[in-house]
Amino acid sequence: MRWSVLAVAVAGAFALAPAPVHANGRAPLTNGVAFRPGDDQSIYLATTFGLLISHDDGCTFRWVCEQNIGYGGQWDPKYAVATDGTIFATTFEGLRISRDGGCSFTTATAELAGSDPNRIADIWIDALDVGPNGDVWVGTAETGHTNDIFVSHDNGQTFSPRNMMSTEVWWKSVKVAPSSAQRVYITGYKVATTPTAYFYSSNDGGTQWTPSPLANVMYASTPVLLVKAVDRTNPDILFMTSLGANPPSGDRLYRSTDGGTTWTEVLATSETIHDVVIHGQNVTIATQIQSTQALMGGTAYESSNGGVDFTQMTNAPQLACVGARPDGSLLGCGANWDPDFKAVARSIDNGATWTKVWRFVEIAGAVQCPAGTIEHDTCDVTLWDCPTCMTDLKRQFGAKGPACGATPDVAGDTTTKKPGGCCDASPSAPIGAMWLGVLVLALVLRRRS
């Protein structure tokens, strides 16, 4: 995993070494956020160099490296977190699961024989969601394999197929309605012969599926649809993106109020739509600029009428991700934005203003785990703090630890709340939209052949 970073001069702020930095071929970026249900302190940040975890509302973030999670290259896993703190991550080799706070990961169903129809190990998992009742849903997307939608009723211990078996379709997204565990939406596309997009809904937990005619939906030459969000109280209201359907590199966003039977286009962007977040009657969108030269946060959009229409957010930073917490606040992530070089910011007024939560220079270190785990032996000792290596992340980030004085996280801690709250989160002016002077290398999404 590697990125190259140009020398930058930042007075008194983010210290990043001018020498080549190790992390996945891209500049350091937080590009996804997940929360633990029922826990108002835990934050899980997807990054271009692994996973960051905080159990004290963003004061102390600790790092889980790619090697521990079980992936490499320029792949961005999708993450989900269960009520008990179990972490799920999608990879090309199956669904990876941690039940000890990120110290160790195992591959779901790896113990089953290769011919077992309930086995999802050693296969590309590209769709993931956890329902309101704790059911874990995944979809497979492997060339030359019989793909299906699978569900687990025991927190990822076992999985069973949901009758969407196909040797031609890659399943790309799955979303469960927050207000109804039986309402499930899935999308996929056929990669052989004539490329075709698919959308299905189920009202009975995947026993029966109803296709959508997808009338008036526009596609790119590769017709990929992704279900992005379902309303928290009305399972019939949902949003879906059509990737690359707004040339040259933008997406189209569609809204349905009848469970996916009909669709209305509500937004066309020049960037890739990454997150669609519904919070009350407000809908917030974060985009990413993904090209052969760059990966960065893009334009943010907002709606105050439930997503009927959208306007560009004038005071937002370059959000590469956005998430809504149960208290209604928004958490946004990206690079280190001006003027005080935030990597994570919070808004409590629906995006009108943003305050700093955390910066890369404040990384506390790797998740603290016992010797003998990959997290300890590889992530912590070798990749994070290796004085003789001179290529460890601690020195290349110039990491100084938390700015708010919280106590360090302990190994496997998924329940204890730490004091401190957010770091230095006083009101500030709108965050500038310019990146630091970094060279962002090409994003290449691997596909297995």
Side-chain angles (χ1 to χ4, degrees):
M1 58 176 194
R2 290 189 174 273
W3 68 59
S4 294
V5 181
L6 295 180
V8 294
V10 180
F14 175 46
L16 190 61
V21 185
H22 299 269
N24 206 357
R26 291 172 287 178
L29 180 78
T30 51
N31 58 3
V33 61
F35 306 107
R36 177 180 169 183
D39 183 346
D40 62 358
Q41 296 290 301
S42 293
I43 303 170
Y44 300 79
L45 290 176
T47 78
T48 52
F49 54 96
L51 177 67
L52 294 172
I53 302 174
S54 172
H55 296 302
D56 55 12
D57 199 30
C59 175
T60 307
F61 273 101
R62 290 189 173 273
W63 176 55
V64 182
C65 69
E66 297 168 331
Q67 287 86 341
N68 187 15
I69 299 169
Y71 74 99
Q74 293 182 337
W75 166 252
D76 291 315
K78 298 178 178 71
Y79 296 97
V81 184
T83 303
D84 68 347
T86 299
I87 303 169
F88 303 95
T90 63
T91 77
F92 283 100
E93 304 299 330
L95 182 69
R96 298 282 286 170
I97 302 177
S98 176
R99 303 185 189 278
D100 57 7
C103 283
S104 61
F105 283 79
T106 59
T107 303
T109 72
E111 73 282 0
L112 300 179
S115 58
D116 194 311
N118 298 319
R119 191 176 194 270
I120 59 169
D122 303 319
I123 186 172
W124 181 7
I125 304 293
D126 199 29
L128 170 66
D129 197 21
V130 175
N133 62 347
D135 285 352
V136 183
W137 289 81
V138 299
T140 64
E142 184 87 6
T143 299
H145 191 280
T146 300
N147 294 305
D148 209 333
I149 299 295
F150 294 81
V151 65
S152 172
H153 301 302
D154 53 13
N155 203 31
Q157 299 286 352
T158 61
F159 285 83
S160 58
R162 293 288 85 189
N163 309 310
M164 294 304 289
M165 187 181 300
S166 175
T167 58
E168 295 184 326
V169 176
W170 289 5
W171 298 111
K172 302 299 291 182
S173 71
V174 56
K175 283 291 181 185
V176 186
S179 61
S180 174
Q182 295 298 301
R183 178 69 67 85
V184 186
Y185 298 105
I186 60 174
T187 64
Y189 75 94
K190 184 172 69 174
V191 295
T193 58
T194 302
T196 307
Y198 298 95
F199 174 99
Y200 291 89
S201 62
S202 176
N203 291 320
D204 55 11
T207 300
Q208 295 179 317
W209 298 93
T210 302
S212 170
L214 296 172
N216 304 317
V217 174
M218 299 178 65
Y219 312 102
S221 56
T222 301
V224 179
L225 302 175
L226 300 176
V227 181
K228 284 294 185 179
V230 183
D231 188 86
R232 290 182 179 272
T233 59
N234 187 340
D236 289 331
I237 298 176
L238 66 153
F239 293 86
M240 176 183 72
T241 57
S242 182
L243 298 189
N246 189 39
S249 57
D251 294 348
R252 294 182 184 273
L253 180 68
Y254 294 89
R255 180 176 184 261
S256 176
T257 59
D258 54 14
T261 301
T262 60
W263 298 94
T264 300
E265 182 180 317
V266 291
L267 179 66
T269 68
S270 57
E271 307 99 341
T272 297
I273 296 174
H274 189 262
D275 290 321
V276 178
V277 175
I278 305 170
H279 44 115
Q281 280 299 301
N282 297 289
V283 183
T284 302
I285 292 175
T287 69
Q288 293 181 359
I289 300 172
Q290 301 185 18
S291 70
T292 56
Q293 287 80 35
L295 167 63
M296 66 181 72
T299 304
Y301 299 89
E302 62 184 345
S303 171
S304 59
N305 55 12
V308 174
D309 52 53
F310 287 84
T311 58
Q312 183 174 329
M313 295 177 70
T314 57
N315 292 330
Q318 282 184 291
L319 296 174
C321 83
V322 66
R325 308 192 73 172
D327 63 3
S329 63
L330 297 176
L331 204 68
C333 68
N336 281 271
W337 308 296
D338 295 333
D340 52 359
F341 306 102
K342 308 167 182 70
V344 182
R346 177 181 285 115
S347 175
I348 59 173
D349 53 12
N350 294 318
T353 59
W354 296 82
T355 57
K356 176 230 169 188
V357 173
W358 181 81
R359 302 176 298 166
F360 282 122
V361 73
E362 295 165 356
I363 294 179
V367 172
Q368 298 299 282
C369 298
T373 61
I374 296 177
E375 182 63 22
H376 176 274
D377 297 353
T378 300
C379 303
D380 194 355
V381 175
T382 302
L383 299 177
W384 173 254
D385 189 6
C386 177
T388 61
C389 299
M390 301 308 295
T391 56
D392 56 359
L393 261 66
K394 180 178 181 179
R395 285 157 185 79
Q396 295 187 62
F397 274 120
K400 302 181 185 301
C404 53
T407 58
D409 289 355
V410 297
D413 177 14
T414 60
T415 57
T416 304
K417 307 302 184 294
K418 308 299 189 300
C422 62
C423 304
D424 201 19
S426 57
S428 65
I431 303 167
M434 296 302 295
W435 271 74
L436 292 177
V438 297
L439 177 63
V440 185
L441 298 182
L443 172 67
V444 180
L445 291 177
R446 290 193 304 163
R447 284 185 186 156
R448 218 182 244 190
S449 59

